[in-house]
Amino acid sequence: MIRFGLWLLVISFFCTKFLTFIDAFALAGEVIRLTVRSVKKIFIYIAIAVAAVSAAIMAARPCMAGEVITAFHSDIRIERDGSLIVTEEIRVNIEHKKIRNGLTRSFPVRYKDRDGKTVSTEFNVEEVRLDGRPVRWSQKEEENFSTLRLGSPETPAPMGEHTYTIRYKAVGQIGFFTDHDELYWNVTGNDSIFPILRAYCTVTLPGMEPDTGFKSIEWYTGARGDKGGGARSFGGGSVETTKPLKIKEGLSVVYTWRKGLITPP
């Protein structure tokens, strides 16, 4: 896109030079001058149009350039034993600035619940792909998080827009209450050092169609602990953001359903 804008500037420059040549050529006579005036008008219009388009493209450049996650989609399938099979598709623009070899994704493995109790969870990665092809990855537990590194440390990640797909199994995420069961899920995490232009998730209960069988759905956006409302539900139960997430901001969702669908531990 930037190269296209530069080409437009070059065309505008040569149109201006051509007008100068026409002025000199017009000295040949009045008849020629009349014809030249018409041609000059045409090239003036072309130069103005080219300059306007070029300015618009260059003005839009900060919005389009840079390393950014353009889309973050999470498909969450809840199993009868309470485990989650999660498939994440993360589309990112890579420019070899902060992203050299690939992305990192962190999962909390120990945290305090709303009652102040320490909760331990598991995240077992099953598959990682880049643009549909298997890619190297490594996973390491660091303090209260398990960090997944996507890509090979010896191989630079391809530049431009690409999609990382992660499939993993998560254990210990379901809350069991007196009159309902619940999934409180941080879809994107709050550790991204890149803006996320759009995030959305789909949740499926065992034996049901996606986005069906829920008693209630809530969502929150913003930094860790924030209760921002910059999201909406669609399609019966999926949730998507309604504005880009800034660095360190995330999307969290809360789904509840009737008891009896999930076997308690």
Side-chain angles (χ1 to χ4, degrees):
M1 184 64 72
I2 297 173
R3 291 180 178 177
F4 180 67
L6 293 176
W7 274 111
L8 291 179
L9 291 175
V10 172
I11 294 173
S12 178
F13 171 78
F14 279 107
C15 285
T16 304
K17 290 298 182 180
F18 186 71
L19 292 177
T20 303
F21 171 76
I22 289 177
D23 283 334
F25 183 72
L27 297 176
E30 185 65 26
V31 176
I32 295 177
R33 184 177 293 120
L34 292 175
T35 303
V36 167
R37 286 176 180 173
S38 299
V39 175
K40 284 180 65 177
K41 287 182 178 180
I42 294 174
F43 274 89
I44 287 173
Y45 294 146
I46 293 175
I48 292 174
V50 168
V53 172
S54 178
I57 290 175
M58 298 305 288
R61 179 185 173 186
C63 298
M64 295 184 292
E67 292 183 325
V68 61
I69 295 175
T70 58
F72 190 118
H73 176 223
S74 181
D75 181 83
I76 306 163
R77 190 176 79 242
I78 304 175
E79 303 289 90
R80 292 192 182 277
D81 64 0
S83 63
L84 310 179
I85 304 300
V86 183
T87 302
E88 295 178 350
E89 292 184 350
I90 306 171
R91 186 157 185 83
V92 60
N93 183 55
I94 300 172
E95 294 189 352
H96 286 179
K97 294 178 180 178
K98 294 182 179 180
I99 304 175
R100 298 294 300 177
N101 306 101
L103 291 178
T104 60
R105 177 80 167 94
S106 294
F107 307 102
V109 292
R110 281 178 297 276
Y111 64 93
K112 299 286 186 180
D113 65 11
R114 284 175 285 185
D115 297 325
K117 297 179 180 179
T118 300
V119 178
S120 297
T121 62
E122 295 179 19
F123 290 87
N124 301 309
V125 177
E126 298 179 349
E127 183 181 40
V128 177
R129 290 180 175 269
L130 173 60
D131 296 330
R133 297 182 177 181
V135 66
R136 284 183 59 183
W137 58 273
S138 62
Q139 189 173 10
K140 181 180 180 181
E141 192 166 309
E142 300 172 330
E143 296 184 353
N144 294 325
F145 291 87
S146 179
T147 300
L148 176 65
R149 300 186 184 279
L150 314 180
S152 169
E154 295 84 20
T155 305
M159 295 186 65
E161 278 203 358
H162 298 276
T163 300
Y164 286 94
T165 302
I166 311 169
R167 189 175 73 233
Y168 57 89
K169 182 177 182 179
V171 179
Q173 302 293 333
I174 304 299
F176 297 92
F177 299 90
T178 303
D179 59 348
H180 71 277
D181 295 338
E182 175 184 286
L183 171 65
Y184 193 128
W185 185 253
N186 189 328
V187 177
T188 60
N190 290 91
D191 302 302
S192 175
I193 60 174
F194 309 104
I196 302 174
L197 301 188
R198 180 175 182 250
Y200 57 110
C201 73
T202 302
V203 180
T204 305
L205 288 168
M208 295 190 179
E209 295 295 320
D211 300 331
T212 62
F214 299 108
K215 294 180 65 174
S216 65
I217 304 173
E218 299 178 13
W219 50 84
Y220 309 105
T221 61
R224 195 181 306 277
D226 285 353
K227 300 293 184 180
R232 69 180 185 95
S233 65
F234 70 99
S238 294
V239 174
E240 67 175 352
T241 54
T242 56
K243 60 181 181 180
L245 299 171
K246 299 177 182 178
I247 294 173
K248 300 292 185 178
E249 289 187 339
L251 168 67
S252 295
V253 294
V254 185
Y255 286 78
T256 68
W257 56 88
R258 63 178 175 85
K259 296 194 71 66
L261 297 178
I262 310 298
T263 304

